[in-house]
């Protein structure tokens, strides 16, 4: 008879999901009376966050307008989710890695990447308009949840090298229904890969509501089953988002293994400019979430503490308008592409079939040139 050893007692983990989402500011921007689970961010960091959010929202608005002008094929707006994305970007060190989804353009902008390069993929120029290695930011990922495995692999590799590197992986609530999500969490848990998984739960996987995706009390609780740090936070509360993301990054960097953070937020605009959100949600629901606007909440808080006045707010608005005008001008410049790039970056050593296709295109271009 083989005796089964009892499970080893595990130490209490600091990151266990709060019964209610962590919140510091109520919908009106006033401090709540609930007990703080994590240190409140310093005032200067909250002022920096407000600046990033103002610039990020204007960038998002301008990108949405560019789709109507034919300069972008498609754009997935992140209006209403700015606090999630900015807090995530600000929690990272320069040497850390970010793994964004197609909806995380504002986070990339907060990392200092040129907005024109961010939008390049959506304009049809390249699969990734920026240098991932230079910015320590992976290409924006369209397939759901695949970037979570990439983040886990990079984090584990950096850990094996002895580097002090954290990987932060974004995903939405829809991605938690994918197998890659569970595989990434399980691998990261077993091998203690230094990853922060940020789930922006905006209520819908395109048109499928969360209630049709999961029966768990929260998506953060999925991390408990894998034995990793887990937390849920009001994603429209900028103070809470920055507090939780800062602490999650510190916790992971200290060698405690991965953390999953669920941010309860809302996608104000449609899934993309090609989507009709009125077919699956009521306008009253959108209006309710507009009353929890993260930018307005942080502005109210900063003004109440004397950290923001009309002059500073007006100056920041002016800076955002200048940035938007520069983006419009740069995106209105037609790009001249080299057709041979279709073949140049497919394989290190082109296959015979690829060489044949390249020769065919070259012949067609030469014939067209002679006709003109």
């Amino acid at each position: 008879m083989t005796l089964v050893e009892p499970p080893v007692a595990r130490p209490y983990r600091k990151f266990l999901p709060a019964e209610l989402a962590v919140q510091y500011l109520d919908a009106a921007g006033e401090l709540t009376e609930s007990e703080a689970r994590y240190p409140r961010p310093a005032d200067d960091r909250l002022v920096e966050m407000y600046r990033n959010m103002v610039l990020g929202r204007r960038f998002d608005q301008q990108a949405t307008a560019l789709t109507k002008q034919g300069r972008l094929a498609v754009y997935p707006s992140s209006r209403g989710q700015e606090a999630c994305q900015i807090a995530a970007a600000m929690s990272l060190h320069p040497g850390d890695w970010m793994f964004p989804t197609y909806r995380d353009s504002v986070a990339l902008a907060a990392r200092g990447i040129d907005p024109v390069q961010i939008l390049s993929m959506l304009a049809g120029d390249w699969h990734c308009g920026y240098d991932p290695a230079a910015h320590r930011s992976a290409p924006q990922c369209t397939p759901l949840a695949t970037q979570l495995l990439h983040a886990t692999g990079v984090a584990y590799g950096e850990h094996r090298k002895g580097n002090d590197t954290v990987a932060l992986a974004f995903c939405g609530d829809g991605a938690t229904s994918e197998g890659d999500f569970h595989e990434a969490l399980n691998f990261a848990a077993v091998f203690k890969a230094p990853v922060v998984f940020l789930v922006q739960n905006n209520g819908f996987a395109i048109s499928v509501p969360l209630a049709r995706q999961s029966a768990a009390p929260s998506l953060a609780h999925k991390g408990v089953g894998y034995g990793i740090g887990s937390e849920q936070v009001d994603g429209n509360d900028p103070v809470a988002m920055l507090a939780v993301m800062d602490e999650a990054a510190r916790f992971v960097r200290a060698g405690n293994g991965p953390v999953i953070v669920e941010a309860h937020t809302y996608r104000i605009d449609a899934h993309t400019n090609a989507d009709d959100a009125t077919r699956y949600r009521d306008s009253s629901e959108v209006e309710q979430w507009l009353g929890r606007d993260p930018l307005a909440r942080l502005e109210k808080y900063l003004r109440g503490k004397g950290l923001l006045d009309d002059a500073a707010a007006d100056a920041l608005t002016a800076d955002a308008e200048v940035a938007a005008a520069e983006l419009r001008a740069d995106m209105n410049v037609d790009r001249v592409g080299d057709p041979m790039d279709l073949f140049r970056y497919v394989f290190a050593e082109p296959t015979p079939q690829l060489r044949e296709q390249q020769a065919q295109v070259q012949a067609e271009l030469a014939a067209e040139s002679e006709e003109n």
Side-chain angles (χ1 to χ4, degrees):
M1 178 177 178
T2 303
L3 296 178
V4 178
E5 293 291 335
V8 177
R10 295 182 181 274
Y12 169 76
R13 300 189 69 93
K14 182 176 182 180
F15 270 88
L16 287 171
E19 183 177 353
L20 299 175
V22 176
Q23 185 184 80
Y24 288 74
L25 301 180
D26 61 21
E30 302 287 349
L31 280 174
T32 64
E33 297 180 358
S34 59
E35 182 179 352
R37 288 167 65 93
Y38 307 101
R40 194 190 311 170
D43 288 344
D44 61 335
R45 298 197 76 233
L46 292 175
V47 171
E48 178 188 0
M49 186 174 191
Y50 179 75
R51 175 180 178 80
N52 285 333
M53 288 177 65
V54 170
L55 294 173
R57 175 163 294 185
R58 187 65 187 91
F59 162 66
D60 186 80
Q61 292 171 338
Q62 185 57 66
T64 299
L66 287 169
T67 63
K68 301 175 183 179
Q69 299 164 8
R71 287 298 175 181
L72 295 181
V74 67
Y75 181 71
S77 172
S78 59
R79 180 185 172 202
Q81 299 181 215
E82 295 93 349
C84 303
Q85 298 193 20
I86 299 300
M90 289 181 61
S91 71
L92 297 179
H93 291 177
D96 293 336
W97 272 89
M98 177 187 288
F99 289 79
T101 72
Y102 52 84
R103 198 178 301 281
D104 299 311
S105 296
V106 170
L108 292 170
R111 270 219 121 178
I113 302 178
D114 183 349
V116 175
Q117 294 181 1
I118 296 172
L119 296 178
S120 178
M121 175 185 70
L122 301 176
D125 290 352
W126 279 94
H127 71 287
C128 181
Y130 52 88
D131 184 341
H135 296 288
R136 309 285 278 186
S137 299
Q140 288 181 274
C141 191
T142 299
L144 294 188
T146 56
Q147 75 279 5
L148 305 183
L149 293 169
H150 304 159
T152 300
V154 167
Y156 180 60
E158 292 287 312
H159 174 68
R160 289 292 300 268
K161 294 177 183 177
N163 295 334
D164 180 25
T165 303
V166 167
L168 190 148
F170 293 87
C171 73
D173 49 291
T176 66
S177 299
E178 298 287 332
D180 287 354
F181 170 84
H182 300 278
E183 292 164 10
L185 263 63
N186 191 60
F187 185 98
V190 171
F191 294 98
K192 299 188 71 172
V195 191
V196 177
F197 299 99
L198 174 59
V199 181
Q200 296 179 83
N201 178 4
N202 62 22
F204 292 92
I206 305 183
S207 60
V208 180
L210 180 64
R212 298 292 298 275
Q213 301 179 62
S214 175
S218 78
L219 296 177
H221 280 80
K222 293 181 180 292
V224 176
Y226 290 106
I228 69 174
S230 312
E231 188 57 278
Q232 59 175 329
V233 57
D234 180 349
N236 283 33
D237 177 352
V239 179
M241 274 303 310
L242 191 57
V244 171
M245 293 306 296
D246 279 349
E247 195 65 22
R250 282 192 288 266
F251 183 83
V252 169
R253 202 182 304 278
N256 296 302
V259 163
I260 179 173
V261 175
E262 177 191 8
H264 296 273
T265 184
Y266 195 78
R267 166 171 52 79
I268 296 297
D269 291 338
H271 178 67
T272 69
N273 54 294
D275 173 42
D276 180 7
T278 62
R279 298 180 63 182
Y280 54 85
R281 67 185 189 186
D282 296 329
S283 59
S284 59
E285 180 178 303
V286 179
E287 288 297 324
Q288 179 183 358
W289 278 92
L290 283 171
R292 301 176 61 184
D293 178 32
L295 189 57
R297 287 165 81 172
L298 184 55
E299 179 176 350
K300 175 70 178 297
Y301 174 75
L302 294 178
R303 285 182 179 274
K305 293 199 68 176
L307 298 170
L308 182 70
D309 56 22
D310 288 343
D314 291 344
L316 185 51
T317 299
D319 289 344
E321 289 301 326
V322 170
E326 292 176 349
L327 178 59
R328 285 195 304 272
D330 290 340
M331 292 301 296
N332 280 329
V333 176
D334 290 329
R335 276 80 173 163
V336 178
D338 181 356
M340 292 304 103
D341 285 347
L342 291 169
F343 312 98
R344 190 170 288 133
Y345 303 108
V346 180
F347 295 104
E349 180 62 33
T351 63
Q353 294 85 355
L354 195 65
R355 292 184 187 279
E356 180 181 350
Q357 295 167 11
Q358 181 177 4
Q360 181 181 351
V361 172
Q362 286 174 326
E364 292 176 357
L365 291 173
E368 181 179 333
S369 178
E370 291 179 359
E371 293 176 1
N372 295 332

